[in-house]
Amino acid sequence: MVFWTILRREAFQLIRSVHGLAPLFLALAGAGGLFVVFLYRADGTAETLPALWGLATAFGLPFLAAVAASRGFTQDREVGMLRLMFSTPVRARWWVLGKVAAAWVLCMLYVGGMGLSCWVLERWLLPPDAQVPGSWLGFGLAVLALAAQALLWCGVGTLASLFSRSSASTFLVSLLTCLLAPPLVWAALSAAFAGPVAQWPWIPLQMMVYDCAGGVVDVRALVGCVTGAAVLIYAAGMAFDALRLCATER
């Protein structure tokens, strides 16, 4: 009950705030335009519709997760709510999980909106007799990969919001981490295993979505995203407890 109460409160306030609907529509507009570009460039190729949609959607996720998480604990600190949260008997994990889940819900609203946009754009841009390869299974696997990535990005932003004193710095740290950490990790793995572990090393997680949409599911990448998110959430809970202890001792 505590978790659901915090989730409802955080999700409602996030959607009502400047960190919610405006970035959501901006991300939808950017990803929709990218999807149109992908459709035109894929003319005459064997690219599938779920793969193009998943690849276009994946590029907006780090931005939206960084914006959503920049509210997180940073705004609570700015308005003085963080000290009140420290004084409540609610455990740290529920506060952290509520923040992460609220940001994740916003990201999944974006994924759902992109799904609707895909259907509208396909009906509007393509001729009635056009045959575009694709399947519901491809869309489902792409959504699974996007959900795992969104959880990871929201964990990054929530952890960063605990240590930042402004929403702008939280956004920048979260976005730069989401953009730079994956290629650096992939480069380190490629060096360790003496060979490339991704076809496009600078956008490895986007390629994970692309492969899943095509029916090639990399279980290691999915498990890595979920495990990374779990580690970040646990670290955020430990950091919250440490900050609570420091505030209590003062």
Side-chain angles (χ1 to χ4, degrees):
M1 292 296 297
V2 173
F3 168 73
W4 291 112
T5 301
I6 296 175
L7 173 58
R8 285 196 300 269
R9 170 185 173 271
E10 294 296 330
F12 181 71
Q13 292 185 356
L14 178 61
I15 291 176
R16 287 184 57 192
S17 69
V18 70
H19 299 79
L21 289 181
L24 176 61
F25 289 127
L26 182 61
L28 283 173
L34 190 61
F35 177 64
V36 172
V37 172
F38 286 166
L39 275 180
Y40 279 110
R41 292 187 62 181
D43 186 24
T45 67
E47 296 287 358
T48 64
L49 190 62
L52 298 175
W53 172 82
L55 193 58
T57 306
F59 279 98
L61 268 185
F63 164 77
L64 188 60
V67 172
S70 66
R71 182 186 179 275
F73 291 105
T74 302
Q75 193 170 38
D76 292 328
R77 176 183 281 107
E78 291 175 347
V79 299
M81 279 292 297
L82 193 58
R83 284 187 174 275
L84 294 178
M85 293 163 63
F86 289 155
S87 64
T88 63
V90 179
R91 294 188 176 183
R93 64 171 177 263
W94 299 126
W95 288 116
V96 173
L97 286 173
K99 298 282 188 181
V100 172
W104 184 80
V105 167
L106 183 67
C107 291
M108 295 314 294
L109 286 176
Y110 159 74
V111 173
M114 273 300 297
L116 179 61
S117 301
C118 173
W119 180 79
V120 172
L121 289 173
E122 179 193 3
R123 293 299 182 97
W124 178 51
L125 292 175
L126 299 179
D129 57 344
Q131 298 294 326
V132 181
S135 65
W136 287 109
L137 178 60
F139 278 108
L141 292 176
V143 169
L144 177 64
L146 290 168
Q149 288 187 24
L151 188 63
L152 179 62
W153 302 146
C154 292
V156 170
T158 302
L159 179 59
S161 70
L162 273 168
F163 301 99
S164 178
R165 296 188 177 276
S166 69
S167 298
S169 59
T170 302
F171 169 75
L172 289 176
V173 170
S174 303
L175 184 61
L176 289 176
T177 302
C178 294
L179 294 178
L180 297 180
L184 292 177
V185 171
W186 253 252
L189 291 175
S190 299
F193 291 101
V197 295
Q199 184 180 358
W200 297 353
W202 280 104
I203 49 173
L205 293 186
Q206 285 79 359
M207 284 305 300
M208 182 187 80
V209 178
Y210 180 85
D211 291 339
C212 285
V216 182
V217 181
D218 191 347
V219 179
R220 297 171 301 174
L222 290 174
V223 172
C225 287
V226 176
T227 303
V231 171
L232 290 169
I233 292 172
Y234 178 78
M238 296 291 291
F240 186 94
D241 280 333
L243 293 174
R244 172 185 277 174
L245 181 61
C246 294
T248 305
E249 290 180 344
R250 289 179 180 177

